[in-house]
Amino acid sequence: MDEHPYPTEIREYLYKILVIGDLGTGKTSIIKRYVHNIFSTNYKSTIGVDFALKVIQWSPDTVIRMQLWDIAGQEKFSGLTRVYYKEAVAALVVYDITRPNTFEAVPKWKADLDTKVCLPDGQPIPVVLLANKIDLQDEASVGLNGEEMERFCEDNGFLKWFGTSAKDNSNIDDAARFLLEEIMHREAEHANQQANDADRIHLHQPRPKEGCC
């Protein structure tokens, strides 16, 4: 006889994730590889913003929907990014390891994020850095030294960095999973804090006077 005759209630979460970085760094290719497991060299440059949805069975009773916002590189630091960033809970910043100027722009993208979006508790949204196109390592000119990259992430407020390749499907799933784990960890901490605050408020409420109706 089935010990659990009734199905477990499924918890569903929807997270808006930004994917930003300079034009031509491979943002669209990363998203297409992650969501559809396809790769092409013929993607046209994104104009404005594009969207993709990745549905993940995180656990038997938890489903996560990742709404990935592919922000065009030419939109950087424009007034429209504030609209695009609204309600995002995390971001991936992408640069091309063969083009130093795209790496030089990374701190500006991060600063733009920090001034335009934050978590409900006022903290910056979690951000992971992707050093993309590692399939072209022989042509790389910037940013694959582990110690230097870790120091760069620490100095600029990135949680972590991953060397990625949409062509070879390298480390994209790992980077996304790391970011999701961070999102859920922070949400759990925020929920616990709210519960603790509610308990403290309840404990400190004055008792009603006797005889009061």
Side-chain angles (χ1 to χ4, degrees), residues 34-181:
Y34 181 57
V35 175
H36 304 295
N37 197 27
I38 59 174
F39 174 78
S40 171
T41 58
N42 299 319
Y43 295 129
K44 295 180 180 179
S45 297
T46 302
I47 298 173
V49 62
D50 201 359
F51 311 92
L53 184 69
K54 174 80 169 181
V55 180
I56 302 168
Q57 188 74 45
W58 188 258
S59 70
D61 63 348
T62 303
V63 173
I64 295 176
R65 287 177 166 81
M66 291 180 68
Q67 190 181 63
L68 297 157
W69 284 51
D70 182 1
I71 311 295
Q74 63 266 34
E75 293 288 346
K76 64 179 177 180
F77 327 134
S78 75
L80 285 174
T81 55
R82 185 178 297 277
V83 178
Y84 298 151
Y85 293 172
K86 188 176 181 182
E87 297 181 350
V89 297
L92 298 166
V93 176
V94 185
Y95 79 92
D96 179 345
I97 65 170
T98 69
R99 293 162 56 209
N101 61 307
T102 66
F103 181 71
E104 292 163 6
V106 163
K108 298 176 184 178
W109 280 105
K110 180 62 167 61
D112 192 54
L113 272 177
D114 291 345
T115 59
K116 293 177 179 175
V117 65
C118 63
L119 297 176
D121 61 3
Q123 295 296 312
I125 65 172
V127 185
V128 167
L129 178 62
L130 303 186
N132 196 36
K133 303 186 184 181
I134 59 171
D135 53 288
L136 302 177
Q137 285 189 64
D138 292 343
E139 302 172 32
S141 54
V142 63
L144 285 178
N145 179 286
E147 289 186 7
E148 290 179 1
M149 288 297 291
E150 287 170 13
R151 193 177 309 116
F152 178 85
C153 288
E154 186 175 345
D155 291 345
N156 290 276
F158 290 93
L159 294 179
K160 195 171 182 178
W161 75 282
F162 291 83
T164 58
S165 168
K167 182 178 181 180
D168 295 343
N169 198 17
S170 300
N171 296 329
I172 295 172
D173 286 352
D174 291 343
R177 184 169 186 86
F178 174 84
L179 193 57
L180 277 175
E181 287 174 347

